[in-house]
């Protein structure tokens, strides 16, 4: 298999362990005086965007940052609860940079680029140092060292955490850095602005068209480089753990201007979410994967068992993950845990009213912690009530806000009865294709964090999203962007009355006017909901050729119906939430087709992409390394659809094998 000539990953030569160090020492630099003359536009101000904008501004570049929320603190990064990985090996339990690299490659089912993943593992420790210096209140052990816990897909404790609100605390750290640069005048912050298009001049990205969401005004902004840090596209499924505003628009607009979109079918289903309760829901709530660190997952051994969980004896419970995967137990990777839950529910062992849930039980953890606290406190012959109370106190310290959230949503006390959980769409491993420098195939256009495809293969290990976002923003892009900008010093800022800006704004305005002019009979939300059902049923946890072919035709028909019968109320020159939603759903209706095409083309199962035709006798994912060990990079061809380019994945440091967590 040969890599497409249109794809050059630019991974440095040499030993894996020295690639990044050597590259940092030889990459072209921009001197401080010249940095003041170079403008960088950053779209999105979550962990990747805020860290990139603040770091680049600190280096001396002129930075503009855009977010559609009223504050960078609203970014969806705030919702990541469980923790952030780093190979510090504080427990002396065998962790190392190589082991984190290996776990990430294996967890992604051998569908990620070695060079990028090793760099991620290599800089992980620096991320923790950076965040501690910012004042992020990571949990600490009794002796003062930072505490770690386990996450899925690993056998070491490498996940740093701040109770059950790690993402929030990390975002506040990045936000404080960003605000400092804003106050110094080094970053111009544009809140309530949404990107509408990328401006490309002579093959290079030269700026953006953005819409002021309060006034409706379209604005033109020049940049010597553009960084897209706009997150993932999980909301294409309508029901997901993502914030309601999360969307694909920035990445999709870049894709239609020439940036290749990679591996769109790789969708991560998170195994521990509060189950769907009815048609009224517009999003789902994630229960952190950190809960699998101490909780045990089970279903009744008897089909259709309607008894209360606490009335089912231990001998009548099936701890199916511990039974099927004894080496990793409840900490198998997310894709495996999710499929196992679906299999049990489909087989008739589900619990709750819908029977589409399994139990996540903390009774054993409370008992274990309670006994430990009793011994530590010198209690002799403590009562069951005392042990229970002591155990609950420890669990509250570790996971209290998560338990409170569950009780507020379900009305059930998870300290007394097991939680009910079921898989839900969470993270998207696909995204814009980028090289080692995090630059797309469009010169000057970069993608960071979840907006790119680069680090997680076909399945992301838990606690690695925060790691990638901050690695890209704090420690990768500040070096790699110099490789491009060193050659742009002589290129002065383009005036925004350049024909390319005029035409891009005209295209954006015409699309907005078209959406408002349709004045059909159906709401934007109704189309989004119908698209989500198609995607979940036929391109969700499991896919097959028949369903994918049907989905492609159904999405095309739904898209035609949308553009003839959607009703967008209000006007374009005002705050108009329905118009915002309409633009985002229109992009989802195009992306959905590509996701199904990609899933249909990939005739194998790997990670979060599970083709029912390709599985082992035990129901596990069956890869085809001979024919599909590549990154799929799709080129937009307008009305003709898409053209596939392949980047061959070469493994020189890891032996590819069938994943086993048994």
């Amino acid at each position: 298999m040969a890599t497409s000539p249109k794809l050059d990953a630019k991974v440095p030569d040499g030993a894996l362990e020295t690639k990044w160090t050597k590259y940092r020492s030889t990459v072209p630099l921009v001197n401080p005086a010249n940095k003041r003359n170079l403008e960088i536009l950053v779209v999105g101000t979550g962990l990747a965007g805020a860290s990139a904008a603040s770091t680049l501004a600190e280096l001396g570049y002129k930075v503009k940052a855009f977010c559609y929320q009223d504050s960078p603190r609203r970014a969806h990064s705030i919702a990541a609860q469980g923790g952030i990985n780093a190979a510090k090996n504080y427990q002396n339990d065998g962790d190392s940079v190589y082991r984190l690299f290996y776990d990430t490659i294996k967890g992604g089912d051998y569908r990620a680029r070695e060079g990028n993943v090793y760099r991620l593992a290599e800089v992980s420790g620096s991320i923790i140092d950076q965040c501690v210096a910012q004042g992020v209140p990571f949990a600490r052990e009794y002796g003062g060292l930072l505490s770690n816990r386990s996450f899925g897909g690993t056998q070491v404790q490498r996940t740093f955490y701040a109770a059950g609100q790690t993402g929030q605390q990390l975002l506040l750290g990045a936000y404080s850095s960003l605000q400092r640069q804003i106050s110094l005048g080094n970053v111009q912050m544009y809140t309530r602005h949404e990107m509408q298009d990328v401006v490309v001049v002579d093959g290079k990205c030269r700026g953006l068209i953005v819409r002021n969401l309060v006034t409706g005004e379209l604005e033109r902004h020049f940049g010597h480089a553009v960084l897209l840090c706009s997150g993932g596209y999980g909301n294409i499924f309508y029901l997901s753990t993502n914030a309601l505003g999360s969307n694909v628009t920035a990445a999709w607009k870049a894709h239609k201007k020439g940036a290749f979109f990679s591996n769109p079918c790789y969708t991560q289903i998170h195994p521990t979410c509060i189950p769907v309760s009815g048609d009224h829901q517009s999003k789902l709530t994630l229960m952190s994967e950190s809960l699998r660190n101490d909780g045990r997952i089970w279903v009744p051994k008897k089909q259709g068992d309607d008894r209360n969980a606490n009335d089912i004896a231990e001998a009548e419970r099936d701890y199916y993950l511990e039974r099927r995967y004894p080496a990793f137990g409840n900490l198998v990777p997310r894709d495996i845990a999710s499929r196992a839950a679906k299999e049990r529910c489909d087989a008739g062992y589900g619990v709750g009213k819908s029977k589409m849930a399994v139990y996540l039980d903390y009774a054993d953890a409370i008992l274990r912690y309670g006994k430990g606290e009793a011994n530590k406190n010198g209690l002799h012959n403590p009562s069951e009530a005392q042990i229970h109370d002591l155990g609950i106190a420890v669990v509250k310290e570790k996971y209290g806000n998560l338990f409170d959230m569950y009780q507020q949503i379900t009305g059930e006390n998870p300290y007394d009865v097991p939680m009910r959980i079921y898989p839900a769409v969470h993270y998207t491993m696909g995204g814009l294709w980028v090289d080692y420098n995090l630059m797309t195939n469009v010169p000057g256009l970069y993608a960071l964090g979840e907006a790119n495809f680069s680090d997680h293969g076909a399945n992301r290990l838990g606690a690695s999203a925060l790691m990638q976002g901050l690695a890209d923003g704090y420690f990768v892009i500040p070096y790699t962007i110099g490789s491009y900008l060193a050659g742009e010093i002589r290129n002065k800022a383009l005036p925004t009355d350049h024909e390319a800006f005029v035409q891009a704004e005209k295209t954006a305005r015409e699309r907005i006017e078209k959406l408002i002019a349709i004045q059909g009979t159906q709401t934007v939300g109704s189309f989004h909901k119908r698209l989500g059902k198609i995607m979940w049923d036929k391109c969700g946890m499991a896919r097959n050729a028949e369903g994918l072919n049907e989905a492609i035709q159904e999405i095309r028909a739904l898209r035609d119906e949308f553009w003839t019968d959607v009703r967008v109320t209000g006007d374009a020159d005002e705050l108009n939430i329905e118009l915002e939603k309409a633009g985002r759903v229109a992009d989802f209706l195009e992306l959905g087709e590509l996701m199904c095409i990609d899933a249909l083309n990939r005739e194998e199962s790997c990670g979060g992409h599970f083709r029912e035709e390709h599985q082992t006798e035990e129901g596990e994912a069956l890869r085809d390394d001979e024919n599909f060990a590549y990154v799929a990079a799709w080129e937009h061809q307008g009305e003709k659809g898409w053209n596939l380019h392949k980047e061959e994945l070469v493994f020189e440091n890891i032996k590819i094998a069938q994943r086993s967590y048994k």
Side-chain angles (χ1 to χ4, degrees):
M1 182 194 309
T3 294
S4 166
K6 289 192 175 184
L7 300 175
D8 181 3
K10 295 185 173 66
V11 178
D13 294 329
L16 187 67
E17 296 81 4
T18 60
K19 285 183 189 294
W20 179 236
T21 302
K22 183 178 179 181
Y23 182 82
R24 287 188 304 168
S25 302
T26 57
V27 68
L29 299 176
V30 180
N31 78 50
N34 286 331
K35 285 175 182 171
R36 292 193 291 269
N37 299 318
L38 293 170
E39 300 181 55
I40 300 173
L41 309 181
V42 179
V43 179
T45 51
L47 286 181
S51 59
S54 59
T55 306
L56 293 171
E58 183 77 45
L59 288 173
Y61 294 106
K62 295 165 62 177
V63 178
K64 291 181 180 178
F66 304 85
C67 72
Y68 65 80
Q69 300 96 338
D70 58 359
S71 166
R73 293 195 300 174
R74 300 282 191 186
H76 185 58
S77 301
I78 205 168
Q81 303 158 331
I84 177 171
N85 289 332
K88 286 284 197 181
N89 195 33
Y90 282 164
Q91 279 71 236
N92 198 28
D93 57 358
D95 201 11
S96 65
V97 168
Y98 183 86
R99 191 176 293 276
L100 175 53
F101 157 71
Y102 176 81
D103 287 345
T104 305
I105 291 283
K106 178 184 175 183
D109 220 351
Y110 305 95
R111 290 295 178 261
R113 190 191 289 152
E114 277 193 344
N116 288 61
V117 176
Y118 191 88
R119 177 178 63 190
L120 175 66
E122 190 176 352
V123 305
S124 64
S126 298
I127 297 171
I128 304 304
D129 297 339
Q130 168 86 1
C131 294
V132 169
Q134 290 174 333
V136 173
F138 287 121
R140 293 182 180 269
E141 300 287 4
Y142 178 76
L145 286 178
L146 298 182
S147 180
N148 288 140
R149 56 191 178 200
S150 298
F151 258 63
T154 70
Q155 291 180 307
V156 297
Q157 290 182 286
R158 64 161 69 100
T159 304
F160 295 77
Y161 63 97
Q165 50 181 255
T166 314
Q168 177 177 348
Q169 298 301 329
L170 292 173
L171 184 62
L172 288 172
Y175 171 74
S176 65
S177 296
L178 177 61
Q179 284 298 115
R180 177 174 180 271
Q181 295 303 318
I182 293 171
S183 68
L184 292 172
N186 299 330
V187 174
Q188 286 182 261
M189 186 70 226
Y190 294 83
T191 58
R192 300 299 289 156
H193 281 68
E194 184 168 36
M195 177 183 142
Q196 300 295 307
D197 209 350
V198 169
V199 178
V200 177
V201 180
D202 297 330
K204 292 184 177 181
C205 181
R206 289 301 190 196
L208 299 171
I209 305 298
V210 300
R211 180 172 181 265
N212 183 321
L213 298 180
V214 177
T215 66
E217 179 184 2
L218 292 178
E219 302 174 3
R220 309 170 189 174
H221 294 271
F222 166 81
H224 289 92
V226 172
L227 277 54
L228 300 184
C229 311
S230 50
Y233 49 89
N235 268 356
I236 192 170
F237 290 87
Y238 187 71
L239 287 178
S240 80
T241 66
N242 290 187
L244 290 180
S246 298
N247 62 83
V248 76
T249 290
W252 195 249
K253 292 297 191 288
H255 173 56
K256 295 182 77 171
K257 279 294 182 72
F260 295 171
F261 209 104
S262 281
N263 301 336
C265 76
Y266 288 165
T267 305
Q268 179 165 86
I269 313 296
H270 199 294
T272 56
C273 298
I274 296 178
V276 177
S277 61
D279 289 339
H280 64 283
Q281 283 185 265
S282 56
K283 79 174 300 293
L284 297 174
T285 302
L286 170 69
M287 298 308 296
S288 170
E289 181 173 327
S290 61
L291 293 172
R292 288 202 281 150
N293 195 59
D294 283 311
R296 300 181 70 190
I297 296 171
W298 62 276
V299 292
K301 289 183 177 179
K302 177 184 175 183
Q303 290 178 320
D305 194 331
D306 290 326
R307 290 178 293 170
N308 292 327
N310 290 341
D311 294 334
I312 300 175
E314 185 75 12
E316 299 176 276
R317 301 179 178 187
D318 177 15
Y319 295 92
Y320 58 89
L321 291 178
E322 299 172 29
R323 169 173 56 82
R324 292 177 60 177
Y325 309 102
F328 282 73
N330 296 294
L331 289 172
V332 292
R334 292 175 175 179
D335 59 318
I336 292 176
S338 294
R339 282 196 297 274
K342 181 179 186 296
E343 184 276 329
R344 288 290 81 190
C345 291
D346 289 348
Y349 296 93
V351 301
K353 291 181 180 179
S354 68
K355 299 301 181 186
M356 297 302 287
V358 299
Y359 287 127
L360 175 61
D361 197 336
Y362 258 73
D364 285 353
I366 290 171
L367 179 62
R368 183 178 72 252
Y369 283 128
K371 288 181 177 179
E373 287 296 295
N375 289 333
K376 188 167 69 175
N377 294 329
L379 293 178
H380 301 293
N381 300 317
S383 67
E384 290 185 8
Q386 285 178 304
I387 291 174
H388 184 72
D389 290 344
L390 288 168
I392 285 178
V394 176
V395 171
K396 277 186 176 180
E397 183 178 354
K398 286 176 172 284
Y399 312 104
N401 63 311
L402 302 175
F403 277 61
D404 292 344
M405 183 171 65
Y406 183 88
Q407 184 166 5
Q408 289 170 4
I409 292 173
T410 66
E412 299 174 356
N413 184 349
Y415 294 107
D416 295 332
V417 297
M419 298 182 191
R420 286 174 290 105
I421 58 169
Y422 192 72
V425 172
H426 179 56
Y427 187 93
T428 47
M429 283 74 66
L432 294 178
W433 183 89
V434 293
D435 61 17
Y436 191 75
N437 294 324
L438 305 184
M439 187 160 71
T440 70
N441 58 294
V442 177
L445 179 64
Y446 294 78
L448 282 64
E450 194 178 356
N452 73 34
F453 87 98
S454 70
D455 292 355
H456 306 299
N459 171 65
R460 177 178 68 78
L461 290 182
S464 288
L466 304 180
M467 176 173 63
Q468 186 205 351
L470 293 179
D472 288 355
Y474 282 138
F475 298 106
V476 178
I477 198 66
Y479 286 100
T480 62
I481 200 168
S483 178
Y484 173 74
L485 291 178
E488 296 298 306
I489 295 169
R490 293 183 177 84
N491 295 325
K492 297 187 182 300
L494 274 180
T496 55
D497 59 359
H498 186 282
E499 177 58 29
F501 280 91
V502 174
Q503 185 56 49
E505 181 183 327
K506 180 174 180 289
T507 301
R509 189 179 305 281
E510 288 174 348
R511 187 171 188 263
I512 290 170
E513 291 173 349
K514 183 178 179 181
L515 284 168
I516 290 178
I518 296 169
Q519 291 298 298
T521 63
Q522 301 181 63
T523 66
V524 174
S526 67
F527 282 102
H528 193 181
K529 198 170 189 176
R530 288 164 63 189
L531 172 64
K533 181 169 175 52
I534 295 170
M535 295 300 298
W536 178 250
D537 288 346
K538 298 176 179 178
C539 194
M541 289 184 68
R543 304 99 184 258
N544 58 58
E546 180 183 2
L548 289 167
N549 278 308
E550 290 174 354
I552 291 169
Q553 298 305 316
E554 291 171 10
I555 292 169
R556 288 172 179 169
L558 186 63
R559 188 166 65 238
D560 290 342
E561 188 180 344
F562 174 89
W563 283 104
T564 56
D565 198 32
V566 72
R567 183 175 184 84
V568 178
T569 56
D571 296 318
D573 58 352
E574 63 181 4
L575 178 64
N576 191 334
I577 304 299
E578 281 300 298
L579 178 59
E580 293 175 38
K581 287 160 53 178
R584 296 165 188 167
V585 171
D587 294 328
F588 280 144
L589 284 164
E590 295 178 3
L591 169 63
E593 181 180 351
L594 179 58
M595 288 176 67
C596 293
I597 290 172
D598 187 42
L600 187 62
N601 177 77
R602 189 169 283 277
E603 289 275 1
E604 66 164 353
S605 290
C606 56
H609 168 65
F610 190 76
R611 283 286 297 271
E612 293 175 344
E613 305 95 327
H614 305 287
Q615 55 182 300
T616 67
E617 292 182 358
E618 297 175 322
E620 304 292 353
L622 183 62
R623 295 194 323 269
D624 181 352
D625 296 324
E626 182 176 350
N627 296 302
F628 292 96
Y630 64 76
V631 174
W634 295 92
E635 179 183 11
H636 190 258
Q637 297 279 294
E639 296 298 322
K640 297 178 182 178
W642 291 271
N643 185 32
L644 175 62
H645 300 272
K646 300 176 182 179
E647 178 197 337
E648 180 184 7
L649 289 170
V650 179
F651 295 94
E652 299 174 337
N653 300 275
I654 282 181
K655 181 180 179 181
I656 297 182
Q658 187 66 31
R659 276 197 307 172
S660 175
Y661 293 93
K662 298 181 178 181

